[in-house]
Amino acid sequence: MSALLEKWNWTANFEQIKNILNLLLPKDKKEIILFIFLFSFYGFFGFMIAHGTSIQDYSLKQCDLYFSFDAGFIFHQGKSYQNSIHPLLKLFCVPIIYILDNITVLVGNYKIKTYILTMLCNFLISMSIIYVYRYLKEIVSLKGYIVYLLIVFYSIFFTNLILSFTTETYTISIFLLSFMVYYYSHCIVTNKQVRLLPNLIFTIILGGITITNSIKGIIPILFTKDKLHFIFRKIGIIAAILLIAAILYLFINNINLLNEVDTRLKYVSTEQNNTPYLEYIASFIGTPIIFSELYARTVQLEWISYPLQLIEVKFLNQVWQYIFISVLVLLLLISIIRNRHNKTVLLIASLFSVDILIHIILKYGASEPYIYGGHWIYVIPLLLGWLYSSLGNKWSKAYLILLTMMCIVLLINNTQSLLEFINLAKSHYPVDLRNIS
């Protein structure tokens, strides 16, 4: 421990934090142009939803109206209904919600808050894609058509389309995870040491937004430049700080840990469904990518006197969807195998293994796998990029043709489904014109 503390350098730590902050925004002309394009693309659909429906700002504060997201809770209160899983979410969101609520009162138009929050979500998703673009250019060293093909393909994933206007923890998580993977990968390929303070900040913020992601802040430390005993000492310090913080959080909020664990275990057991395991795996991977069939479900809640129409999405249920996902999974596996000696690929695979453990092996959230894409879908364009870089000229051309075809299919399906979602939202949750001045 003392040896690690001797290596501590306040100046170097804060200098690295400063460098990290400088990388958060687009850093050249091409990234700025791409960001404007993405922000405009998502903004077009986001404005249609924010202006033409009330599904984001519906007056009910304790009900999620689409896809089981916590959007209603966060929009109105700045927190999730599962605060123990998202311990620091209030710290980020409550001040924003408070300021926007006051702006809404001053302006006299309740939609102002909706527009601003939609733009913030749009910003986070657009920037997360910029980090993927930067990764493909700088880490994988790709250029030209393949880079923009992968970006278009990734941009139209179900998760990105929905989170671009949804106030959710996943919107923040995908932004943070995409940046973290880029930054650590950059340090790995440039043989640059990552200091303890940045390691700690990544871990605390990721775990604070969603507690299970704290392990993802620790995993990259195993791949960075340092002697093995220093790496484990660093992990030990971070783990000790997290443990102390967790104990304080439980004490301050009067949370019974045993009861909380029991609640989570019951949730896992009740979430088990009768879907065949292979079909469930396909839906876990496929539904965050493919915008599947939509339907409206009527529910009657105890605390309101009228029925609600919840917009839901089905598991994969068409042959072409299973073929599409099977081909995609095969490509991802080939990429990992062909690049198995590459540290940055092993880092990506290790991060994805956390989600595989939680959602495929333990089947946590088995009834709604489509909502968890914000924790892992960034791995897909990265692995597809690494696969392209490992192919010879002949196979790379065939690969480009295959990816182009998959991109076209996904673009047609997902844009049509998004428009269908907008129409359902307009039908069931039209704008209350009395609240707009």
Side-chain angles (χ1 to χ4, degrees):
M1 182 71 71
S2 60
L4 181 60
L5 292 176
E6 287 175 7
K7 292 185 66 178
W8 178 270
N9 184 322
W10 283 100
T11 303
N13 273 269
F14 284 107
E15 185 65 29
Q16 192 162 57
I17 295 296
K18 179 182 176 182
N19 293 336
I20 289 172
L21 293 175
N22 289 335
L23 292 171
L24 286 174
L25 296 176
K27 63 179 186 177
D28 59 34
K29 185 178 179 180
K30 288 185 178 180
E31 288 191 2
I32 292 172
I33 293 173
L34 179 59
F35 174 79
I36 293 172
F37 172 79
L38 291 168
F39 194 81
S40 301
F41 172 72
Y42 292 129
F44 173 76
F45 293 106
F47 181 78
M48 290 175 66
I49 295 166
H51 186 71
T53 81
S54 63
I55 198 164
Q56 296 164 286
D57 48 32
Y58 193 68
S59 58
L60 270 183
K61 299 179 180 180
Q62 297 181 340
C63 184
D64 301 320
L65 302 180
Y66 61 98
F67 309 143
S68 300
F69 286 124
D70 288 348
F73 290 85
I74 298 173
F75 182 93
H76 290 291
Q77 304 174 50
K79 60 182 180 180
S80 168
Y81 79 99
Q82 301 182 91
N83 287 321
S84 59
I85 298 179
H86 313 288
L88 295 184
L89 181 66
K90 291 190 292 184
L91 184 65
F92 291 98
C93 295
V94 168
I96 295 174
I97 299 302
Y98 176 79
I99 292 170
L100 292 180
D101 283 340
N102 281 280
I103 291 174
T104 299
V105 172
L106 289 172
V107 175
N109 184 341
Y110 81 102
K111 276 293 181 182
I112 292 297
K113 178 182 178 182
T114 312
Y115 297 145
I116 294 175
L117 285 176
T118 300
M119 287 191 289
L120 285 174
C121 294
N122 185 351
F123 172 82
L124 292 175
I125 296 301
S126 297
M127 280 309 306
S128 73
I129 297 172
I130 292 296
Y131 303 142
V132 170
Y133 170 81
R134 194 182 295 171
Y135 183 105
L136 295 172
K137 295 275 287 186
E138 297 180 12
I139 311 302
V140 191
S141 299
L142 298 180
K143 58 183 179 180
Y145 179 73
I146 180 62
V147 176
Y148 295 102
L149 174 61
L150 288 172
I151 290 301
V152 171
F153 184 55
Y154 178 55
S155 300
I156 55 176
F157 282 10
F158 167 84
T159 296
N160 285 327
L161 290 174
I162 296 300
L163 292 184
S164 68
F165 59 83
T166 300
T167 48
E168 246 290 355
T169 58
Y170 301 102
T171 312
I172 304 172
S173 292
I174 196 171
F175 170 82
L176 295 171
L177 287 165
S178 300
F179 179 78
M180 184 196 73
V181 170
Y182 161 73
Y183 184 74
Y184 274 107
S185 299
H186 171 75
C187 292
I188 291 170
V189 298
T190 58
N191 205 28
K192 181 180 179 182
Q193 184 186 36
V194 182
R195 301 281 176 174
L196 177 61
L197 186 57
N199 291 148
L200 181 61
I201 291 174
F202 274 126
T203 305
I204 289 176
I205 295 179
L206 280 170
I209 298 301
T210 300
I211 197 166
T212 52
N213 280 337
S214 56
I215 187 64
K216 294 182 181 180
I218 294 175
I219 288 174
I221 301 173
L222 298 170
F223 297 90
T224 54
K225 176 191 175 183
D226 226 330
K227 293 181 180 179
L228 193 60
H229 62 283
F230 281 120
I231 287 176
F232 284 110
R233 287 177 185 178
K234 190 185 290 187
I235 291 174
I237 290 175
I238 293 173
I241 293 172
L242 288 178
L243 179 60
I244 293 170
I247 293 172
L248 289 173
Y249 180 82
L250 292 172
F251 177 76
I252 293 171
N253 291 278
N254 196 27
I255 296 174
N256 186 309
L257 180 60
L258 294 178
N259 288 343
E260 190 66 26
V261 171
D262 183 60
T263 300
R264 295 299 149 205
L265 290 175
K266 287 179 179 178
Y267 176 72
V268 171
S269 63
T270 57
E271 282 286 288
Q272 307 300 318
N273 55 50
N274 297 321
T275 306
Y277 200 56
L278 287 178
E279 289 185 27
Y280 167 70
I281 293 174
S283 287
F284 170 76
I285 297 173
T287 49
I289 299 168
I290 299 173
F291 209 135
S292 196
E293 185 179 347
L294 294 164
Y295 66 99
R297 178 168 63 93
T298 303
V299 296
Q300 180 66 61
L301 303 176
E302 295 178 359
W303 59 87
I304 59 174
S305 60
Y306 54 91
L308 278 177
Q309 294 289 326
L310 305 186
I311 300 177
E312 306 281 5
V313 65
K314 293 183 178 180
F315 279 20
L316 302 186
N317 58 3
Q318 297 182 35
V319 174
W320 76 266
Q321 295 173 340
Y322 285 104
I323 295 173
F324 185 100
I325 294 305
S326 298
V327 171
L328 183 60
V329 170
L330 180 62
L331 294 175
L332 297 178
L333 290 174
I334 294 172
S335 178
I336 294 172
I337 293 170
R338 289 181 68 90
N339 295 281
R340 61 189 179 277
H341 300 301
N342 186 320
K343 271 189 175 184
T344 57
V345 173
L346 292 177
L347 169 59
I348 297 168
S350 299
L351 294 172
F352 189 29
S353 68
V354 176
D355 299 286
I356 291 174
L357 172 64
I358 294 171
H359 301 297
I360 291 183
I361 296 177
L362 298 180
K363 296 187 77 174
Y364 184 87
S367 66
E368 47 192 25
Y370 41 82
I371 73 172
Y372 297 103
H375 288 165
W376 64 267
I377 59 165
Y378 60 88
V379 309
I380 293 177
L382 307 185
L383 289 176
L384 292 178
W386 278 115
L387 177 56
Y388 179 82
S389 71
S390 70
L391 297 174
N393 187 55
K394 179 181 177 181
W395 283 106
S396 63
K397 290 181 179 178
Y399 181 59
L400 279 179
I401 294 172
L402 175 62
L403 276 184
T404 302
M405 292 172 60
M406 293 176 71
C407 184
I408 292 171
V409 169
L410 195 67
L411 178 63
I412 294 171
N413 178 81
N414 286 9
T415 50
Q416 285 182 343
S417 296
L418 181 57
L419 292 173
E420 182 184 349
F421 169 81
I422 294 172
N423 288 331
L424 279 173
K426 287 181 177 179
S427 173
H428 295 297
Y429 296 98
V431 175
D432 184 355
L433 296 178
R434 292 169 299 175
N435 291 328
I436 299 180
S437 58

